[in-house]
Structures are given as C-alpha cells and as structure tokens.
Amino acid sequence: MTRSTRAIWSAAWPWLALCAVVVVASLDRYRALTLSPYPVGVDGYYYPAQLEHLLQHGSLRYPSAPLTFWLIAPLAMLTDAVTAAKLGAAVLVSAAALPIGGLVLRLGKQLNTAPVLAGAAAVFAGAVWAGAPSSIYLSLEFVKQGVGVTVGMAALWAALGAIDRPSRARVVLALLATLAAALSHKLALGLLLVGALPALSLRLMRARTPSVARRSRKVGFALLAAAGLGLLVL
C-alpha cells in the first residue's frame, strides 16, 4: 500500500464506518416503526397529514418549520405519507451520527490526536448517538426535534470549519447550513449558536493579526444574519 493510498484510507475509513452505523440504526428504527401498520407516537398522524397537504397543495396544513417535511416529501411521492414519515424518521434522525463524528474528527485534528484514535473516537461517538435510548425515542415520538439535532450538528460542523479557516466556499456552506437549521427546528438553531459562539469568541481572542480578527467577525455577523433570516422566514 503506497503512502497516498494509506492517507486516503486513513481519511476515509471513519466516514465509511459512520455510514455503516447510520444504515444499521436506520434499519433497526424502521423495523420498530413498522411493527404497526399505522402511524405511531404522540404526533403519529401529524406528519402524514402535513406531507399529504404539502404534496397536494404545496404548503403545510399547520404552520411549522418546513425543512423536515421538505426532506421527507420525495419519499412520500415514491411511497405513501405514512411509510415516508416512518422511513424519514428512521433515516434522518440516525444521520446525526455523521456530523457528530465529523465534529469529533475536527476536535481530534485540533488536538493533534493520532488519526487512528481520532477516527475510532468519531465512530464511537456516532455509535453512541445511534444506540442512545433518547435518540431512538426521537425517531418514535418527536421526529422534527430529532431532525433538528441532525441539521443543527451539521450546521455547527460547517460553522466551525468557516470560523477556523475562513474561505468563500466554507462561509457560504456555513450560511446555508445555518439557514437550514433555522428552517428545521429552534433546537437546531440553539445547538448551532451554543457551539459556534464560544468558538468564535476564542478565535477572536487568539487572532494574531487585525485581518484575522476582521474575517472572524464577518463570519460571526454572517452566521447571526442567516439565523435571523431563518427565524423571519418562519
């Protein structure tokens, strides 16, 4: 195995393992959700009703943050509203393992941790989320909040990347992810702000030059503006 091949494998294997974690968790949750042919959970009928109205009229029946329903709607077009709601709940909540693992990998890189240890920690963190009773409960009872965790953690991952190494592409990605967080659930926006603002403050305190501080402030203002825009849209 050449050095370049080893480097590619070292970077890829944690993500492959995390994808496997998401697949296994999604299948297990979907199996649990389909034990009954009817919608399950406190808001079981709420999600199919929203999806049917969205497909028929292009809008939600009841006012709500729309991103979760937008993401599940293609599944409803291929199957039916009840099946789509269950499949979306299983996959989208389990998918939080990916950004959680990404955040752990980023932390390991910043702490100069050995790649193998950082990758193992990332996979472990993703598996903890996938197997946590509270995470499974979100797929069964509070789907929108669970999707909010996934989107919020993904937005935090993107925001930390933009704060750490600002570039046009990273900032645009972070802004889109912040807007998505606001459109998914207030919980997602809360996760993003709680994680990103301390990192931004630390970056400003450690800025070695005025130009670095200015770029960091611009990123912070842009993230706050995107969050505010998302709340206004709601």
Side-chain angles (χ1 to χ4, degrees):
M1 184 181 291
T2 64
R3 182 177 299 178
S4 61
T5 304
R6 285 197 299 270
I8 294 173
W9 173 247
S10 178
W13 78 261
W15 293 107
L16 295 175
L18 285 168
C19 287
V21 167
V22 172
V23 170
V24 172
S26 299
L27 291 174
D28 184 62
R29 296 180 190 205
Y30 184 66
R31 179 194 60 79
L33 287 164
T34 53
L35 290 176
S36 169
Y38 305 105
V40 298
V42 175
D43 295 328
Y45 285 90
Y46 168 77
Y47 293 94
Q50 291 280 61
L51 289 169
E52 288 180 351
H53 200 273
L54 177 61
L55 293 181
Q56 294 173 7
H57 304 283
S59 62
L60 299 177
R61 181 185 297 272
Y62 310 106
S64 178
L67 184 62
T68 297
F69 306 102
W70 292 347
L71 293 175
I72 301 177
L75 297 175
M77 295 174 64
L78 297 174
T79 57
D80 59 82
V82 175
T83 301
K86 293 181 178 182
L87 183 58
V91 174
L92 293 176
V93 181
S94 299
L98 293 173
I100 289 173
L103 287 168
V104 174
L105 285 173
R106 175 173 291 279
L107 178 61
K109 185 176 181 181
Q110 291 178 342
L111 296 177
N112 294 319
T113 306
V116 173
L117 293 179
V123 175
F124 177 75
V128 167
W129 167 260
S134 57
S135 169
I136 298 171
Y137 185 73
L138 290 176
S139 289
L140 299 175
E141 296 287 353
F142 300 106
V143 178
K144 200 167 64 169
Q145 287 87 337
V147 176
V149 173
T150 301
V151 178
M153 297 303 283
L156 177 58
W157 181 30
L160 293 180
I163 292 170
D164 185 42
R165 297 177 60 188
S167 69
R168 182 173 297 177
R170 289 190 180 93
V171 171
V172 170
L173 178 61
L175 293 180
L176 292 176
T178 300
L179 185 59
L183 293 175
S184 64
H185 198 277
K186 293 179 180 178
L187 171 65
L189 200 57
L191 286 173
L192 169 62
L193 296 178
V194 167
L197 291 180
L200 180 62
S201 300
L202 186 62
R203 178 70 173 174
L204 288 171
M205 288 188 292
R206 291 183 175 180
R208 297 181 179 179
T209 62
S211 62
V212 172
R214 283 196 299 271
R215 286 199 299 270
S216 297
R217 282 196 295 270
K218 288 179 181 179
V219 171
F221 290 145
L223 291 175
L224 290 174
L229 178 61
L231 290 177
L232 287 176
V233 171
L234 297 179

